[in-house]
C-alpha cells in the first residue's frame, strides 16, 4: 500500500480518519482512534521509534496503521469539517428549459412546487469563477460541466467562462480544464457547435429509448415531439467532429423489445460512450432493482461491450469494483478523487445540483463531514460494491440508509454473478 495522506477529525464523540487520495472516510473504533493519535505523535516527533508504554491492543493497532503506510505531516484534529477535494464542478446555469419533459427531475419538478425558477446572472458566474473555480484550478486539473434546465439558454455564460478559463490556462495561471455539457439538443446551432468543437467540449444529448417514447416524453412548450430535431442536432455534432454521446433514461414500462431498441439507439446516435440514467421520478422508485430494470441494464452493458462503447449506469460502480477487485468504500466513487460539486444558479456550492440540493447547501471551502457507514452496512453482502449510505440522502431525509439503493445492490449482485465473465474487465 502506498503511503496515504490522512487527517483525523473528532465529531460528536466519534473519531474519523479521512484519506483524500481515495476519498475514503473511516470511523475508527476506540483502539484504532487512540493508536492513530499515538501515530500522530510519532510522525510529529520525526522518529521511527515505536511509541512506548501502550497496552497490547493499542500497540497492535498502531503497528497495523504503521504497516498500512499511513504517513503524513497533515494529520491534525479539526472541528468535523473536511476540506473538499473536488475533481470538478457541475454548474447549473438555469432551471428554465424550452422543453416540458414528463418526469423531468429538474425543471418540471421545480415548476410543480410553484417556486420561481432560478437563472444564473453574469455577475454570479463571474463571482463563481473568481472565488471557486479559478482557486481550485490553480491547485489541480478540473472538469467543468454545464447543466440546467437547458444550459444552452445561457450560452453567452458558457462562452464567457470557457474563454476566460482558456486564457488563464494559456497564460499558465491554472491547470488544464476539460469542458462538458448536458443538453436537450434543441438549440445547437452550427456556430455554437463549432465553438464546442474548438474548445474540446464533450456534449451529452438527452434522448429516450425509442422515437415514439421520445416524442411522448420529450415535448416542447407547444406539446410537440422533438425526436427529429434532436437527431438532426446530434448529426451536426458528429459532422463537426465534436465529442458527443447520448443519455437515456429507461422509464417503465419498457417496450417488449427494449434491448433491441437500445441497440438501435447506439446505431442512431453513434459515439464512444453512452449514459443510462436512473429515473428520479417518485412514482418509479419501485422500478429500481426490479428484475425488468436490472435485466435491461445488464443487457445494455453486454451490448455496449460487444459494440466497443463505454457505458455509464447504476451498475457501473459495481462492475468497476468487481472488475478491478477494488472494494468500494465510499458512495462517491470506487477509486480516486471523484467528487463533483454542484453550483446552483444562485452561486451556492452544493453536493448535488438537483434532488437534494436545497437540503445540502454548503460553503465552497468547507463541506460538511460526510456521513459514515451505519450498522446495517457493516454486515451487508453488497457493502463493498455499494460504498455505503449516500450522505445527501441522509442529510435530506434524516434516515441512515436508502432502502431503494440497498434493494438495487442486493438484487443486482446475484444476477451479475451469473454472467460475471461477460462484464468483467479483460
Amino acid at each position: 500500500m502506498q503511503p496515504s495522506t490522512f487527517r483525523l477529525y473528532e465529531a460528536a464523540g466519534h473519531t474519523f480518519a479521512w484519506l483524500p487520495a481515495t476519498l475514503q472516510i473511516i470511523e475508527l473504533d476506540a483502539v484504532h482512534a487512540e493508536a492513530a493519535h499515538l501515530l500522530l505523535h510519532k510522525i510529529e516527533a520525526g522518529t521511527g521509534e515505536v511509541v512506548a508504554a501502550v497496552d497490547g491492543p493499542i500497540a497492535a493497532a498502531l503497528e497495523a496503521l504503521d504497516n498500512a503506510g499511513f504517513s503524513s505531516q497533515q494529520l491534525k484534529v479539526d472541528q468535523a469539517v473536511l476540506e473538499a477535494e473536488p475533481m470538478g464542478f457541475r454548474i447549473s446555469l438555469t432551471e428554465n428549459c424550452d422543453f416540458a419533459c414528463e418526469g423531468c427531475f429538474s425543471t418540471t419538478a421545480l415548476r410543480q412546487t410553484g417556486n420561481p425558477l432560478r437563472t444564473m446572472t453574469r455577475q454570479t458566474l463571474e463571482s463563481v469563477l473568481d472565488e471557486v473555480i479559478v482557486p481550485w484550478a490553480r491547485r489541480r486539473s478540473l472538469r467543468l460541466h454545464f447543466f440546467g434546465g437547458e444550459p444552452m439558454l445561457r450560452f453567452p455564460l458558457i462562452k464567457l467562462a470557457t474563454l476566460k478559463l482558456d486564457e488563464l490556462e494559456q497564460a499558465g495561471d491554472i491547470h488544464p480544464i476539460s469542458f462538458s455539457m448536458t443538453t436537450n439538443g434543441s438549440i445547437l446551432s452550427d456556430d455554437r457547435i463549432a465553438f464546442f468543437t474548438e474548445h474540446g467540449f464533450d456534449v451529452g444529448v438527452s434522448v429516450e429509448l425509442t422515437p415514439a417514447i421520445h416524442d411522448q416524453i420529450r415535448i416542447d412548450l407547444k406539446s410537440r415531439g422533438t425526436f427529429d430535431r434532436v437527431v438532426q442536432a446530434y448529426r451536426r455534432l458528429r459532422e463537426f467532429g465534436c465529442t458527443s454521446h447520448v443519455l437515456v433514461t429507461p422509464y417503465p414500462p419498457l417496450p417488449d423489445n427494449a434491448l433491441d431498441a437500445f441497440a438501435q439507439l447506439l446505431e442512431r446516435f453513434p459515439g464512444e460512450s453512452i449514459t443510462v440514467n436512473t429515473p428520479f421520478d417518485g412514482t418509479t422508485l419501485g422500478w429500481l432493482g426490479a428484475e425488468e430494470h436490472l435485466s435491461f441494464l445488464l443487457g445494455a452493458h453486454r451490448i455496449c461491450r460487444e459494440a466497443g462503447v463505454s457505458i455509464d449506469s447504476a451498475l457501473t460502480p459495481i462492475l468497476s469494483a468487481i472488475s478491478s477487485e477494488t472494494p468500494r468504500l465510499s458512495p462517491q466513487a470506487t477509486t480516486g478523487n471523484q467528487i463533483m460539486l454542484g453550483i446552483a444558479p444562485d452561486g451556492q456550492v452544493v453536493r448535488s445540483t438537483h434532488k437534494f440540493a436545497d437540503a445540502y447547501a454548503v460553503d465552497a471551502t468547507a463541506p460538511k463531514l460526510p456521513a459514515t457507514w451505519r450498522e446495517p452496512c457493516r454486515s451487508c453482502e453488497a457493502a463493498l460494491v455499494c460504498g455505503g449510505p449516500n450522505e445527501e440522502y441522509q442529510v435530506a431525509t434524516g434516515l441512515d440508509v436508502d432502502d431503494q439503493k440497498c434493494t438495487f445492490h442486493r438484487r443486482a449482485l446475484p444476477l451479475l454473478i451469473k454472467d460475471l465473465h461477460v462484464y468483467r474487465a479483460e
Side-chain angles (χ1 to χ4, degrees), residues 23-53:
L23 288 187
Q24 298 175 32
I25 182 162
I26 304 169
E27 184 174 359
L28 302 178
D29 57 44
V31 171
H32 278 85
E34 185 172 349
H37 285 291
L38 289 173
L39 183 58
L40 169 61
H41 173 74
K42 179 178 175 181
I43 293 171
E44 290 180 339
T47 69
E49 298 176 4
V50 177
V51 178

Side-chain angles (χ1 to χ4, degrees), residues 365-383:
T365 58
K368 296 177 183 177
L369 182 72
T372 187
W373 283 13
R374 302 297 199 264
E375 191 58 38
C377 302
R378 300 183 190 280
S379 58
C380 176
E381 64 272 21

Side-chain angles (χ1 to χ4, degrees), residues 221-239:
L221 297 178
K222 295 183 179 180
S223 299
R224 298 174 300 189
T226 60
F227 183 78
D228 290 340
R229 276 181 274 171
V230 173
V231 169
Q232 183 177 0
Y234 191 81
R235 286 175 180 168
R236 295 299 287 164
L237 284 166
R238 303 299 292 184
E239 289 168 2

Side-chain angles (χ1 to χ4, degrees), residues 3-6 39 43 65 69-73:
S4 300
T5 297
F6 76 112
L39 183 58
I43 293 171
L65 289 172
F70 288 109
S71 58
S72 171
Q73 300 300 322

Side-chain angles (χ1 to χ4, degrees), residues 235-251:
R235 286 175 180 168
R236 295 299 287 164
L237 284 166
R238 303 299 292 184
E239 289 168 2
F240 271 76
C242 183
T243 302
S244 48
H245 65 281
V246 293
L247 305 90
V248 60
T249 305
Y251 285 98

Side-chain angles (χ1 to χ4, degrees), residues 252-274:
L254 291 176
D256 293 336
N257 60 340
L259 289 176
D260 290 338
F262 182 81
Q264 293 171 11
L265 186 74
L266 292 182
E267 295 177 0
R268 286 194 183 99
F269 298 95
E272 294 71 38
S273 65
I274 187 171

Side-chain angles (χ1 to χ4, degrees), residues 90-95 120 145-149 343-346 353:
R90 184 179 292 109
I91 302 180
S92 181
L93 295 173
T94 180
E95 292 172 344
M120 184 174 288
H145 185 83
F146 296 104
F147 199 66
I343 299 179
D346 59 6
T353 311

Side-chain angles (χ1 to χ4, degrees), residues 156-200:
L157 295 192
I158 297 176
K159 188 173 182 179
L160 182 154
T162 303
L163 293 178
K164 176 171 183 173
L165 294 171
D166 271 359
E167 182 179 350
L168 290 172
E169 181 183 334
Q170 292 300 320
D173 291 339
I174 62 173
H175 290 279
I177 290 182
S178 61
F179 299 100
S180 60
M181 177 184 66
T182 299
T183 176
N184 61 29
S186 63
I187 43 181
L188 283 171
S189 60
D190 282 0
D191 60 332
R192 295 177 177 186
I193 293 175
F195 178 85
F196 293 137
T197 305
E198 178 185 355
H199 293 279

